Amino acid sequence: MTGTWLKSGDATCDAPLRLFCFAHAGGGGGFFRPWRDFVLPEVEVCPVILPGRETRVAEPAHRSMEELIGPLCEGLAPFLDRPYALFGHSTGAAVAYEVARRFQDDPRRAPRRLLVSGRRAPHLAARRPPFAGLADDDFLRVVAELGGTPQEVMRQRDLMRMFLPALRADFHLNESYRPLPGPRLRCPVSGFTGDRDPEVTPLELRLWDTVSDGPFRMRVYDGDHFYLTGLPEPLRTDLLEDLRTDIRQTVS
């Protein structure tokens, strides 16, 4: 199962830094694939494919971070043979954080940077009531309100019901998540959010500075929870600024 976490051909180019990307609940690796053309040749974008979506749609999705993190880190380990950073959006930010912690104490495999987007710091309680256990129609209505799923897909009710188990699993993982036992980070942390994101305030994002002994930098952009779709130019510029710092430190 090692190779299934990345699309065939990923993590094969000679970019000096790999960027493993984790999508929001209900999202897949395809969300980040448009980023590739904007950051090569300096950074190789490697979207991570979790069970239950895309090429792994037949596999059961994990319903808790405890279930996910072991197999995920085992699957990523062969691809940590060059410097890398981790980017996660929304639920994906929590996943990226736990991956960073899992590898933190191994100097050969520790991340160069954690980049988190659209999520409050991990020790903060949720602001919305859980909805993963709602009846199907109510659950899909809330998912539609959150955005991130194209309306043309939401209107295909049979298709949505096929994806329903994986969607529920994602939101159950998100709603049940509490930081796992593990070390404090030492790498730099970058935080990003939209100024109209209903899921996180700038203050809640800023509290990510408490998870690491490394430096923290935060940027706020014009947009909602999905401000990052397509990698808009302001985000691209800031992302490359941070990652170029990590690349320079790697080669110095």
Side-chain angles (χ1 to χ4, degrees), residues 172-190:
H172 189 276
L173 182 150
N174 180 57
E175 293 167 0
S176 65
Y177 171 66
R178 302 292 183 274
L180 303 180
R184 182 176 174 79
L185 294 180
R186 293 188 292 276
C187 64
V189 178
S190 299

Side-chain angles (χ1 to χ4, degrees), residues 9-51:
D10 283 359
T12 58
C13 82
D14 59 357
L17 187 79
R18 287 180 180 144
L19 181 64
F20 297 102
C21 296
F22 301 86
H24 52 283
F31 185 80
F32 294 105
R33 290 196 183 100
W35 291 26
R36 292 170 168 170
D37 295 337
F38 296 109
V39 297
L40 280 172
E42 296 171 276
V43 177
E44 181 184 17
V45 172
C46 298
V48 178
I49 305 171
L50 301 184

Side-chain angles (χ1 to χ4, degrees), residues 68-227:
L68 170 64
I69 200 67
L72 170 57
C73 290
E74 182 180 356
L76 290 181
F79 304 106
L80 307 185
D81 56 334
R82 68 172 58 231
Y84 74 95
L86 302 159
F87 183 100
H89 178 61
S90 197
T91 300
V95 178
Y97 170 58
E98 292 297 345
V99 171
R101 296 174 78 208
R102 182 63 63 99
F103 292 120
Q104 177 64 69
D105 283 343
D106 185 342
R108 299 166 301 170
R109 301 193 296 179
R112 299 305 170 99
R113 183 177 297 268
L114 171 67
L115 305 103
V116 293
S117 167
R119 188 182 181 88
R120 63 198 174 276
H123 62 279
L124 298 180
R127 285 193 283 115
R128 72 163 61 242
F131 61 88
L134 292 175
D136 289 355
D137 287 343
D138 292 332
F139 175 74
L140 291 175
R141 175 181 51 77
V142 177
V143 170
E145 291 172 354
L146 291 174
T149 304
Q151 286 301 310
E152 57 269 25
V153 175
M154 293 298 304
R155 286 193 289 268
Q156 299 181 52
R157 306 300 284 183
D158 290 342
L159 180 63
M160 288 304 299
R161 291 186 189 283
M162 182 177 73
F163 292 139
L164 199 56
L167 271 173
R168 283 193 187 278
D170 275 4
F171 283 102
H172 189 276
L173 182 150
N174 180 57
E175 293 167 0
S176 65
Y177 171 66
R178 302 292 183 274
L180 303 180
R184 182 176 174 79
L185 294 180
R186 293 188 292 276
C187 64
V189 178
S190 299
F192 309 92
T193 190
D195 59 2
R196 300 186 304 280
D197 189 336
E199 299 299 306
V200 59
T201 67
L203 176 59
E204 290 171 327
L205 181 73
R206 183 174 294 280
L207 289 174
W208 277 96
D209 69 357
T210 64
V211 307
S212 178
D213 294 326
F216 176 79
R217 189 171 186 181
M218 184 178 86
R219 281 84 157 210
V220 179
Y221 304 97
D222 177 32
D224 58 16
H225 192 57
F226 290 97
Y227 74 94

Side-chain angles (χ1 to χ4, degrees), residues 238-251:
D238 292 337
L239 194 69
L240 282 174
E241 180 182 347
D242 287 353
L243 295 177
R244 282 169 178 157
T245 299
D246 303 327
I247 292 169
R248 287 194 296 269
Q249 292 175 348
T250 297
V251 299

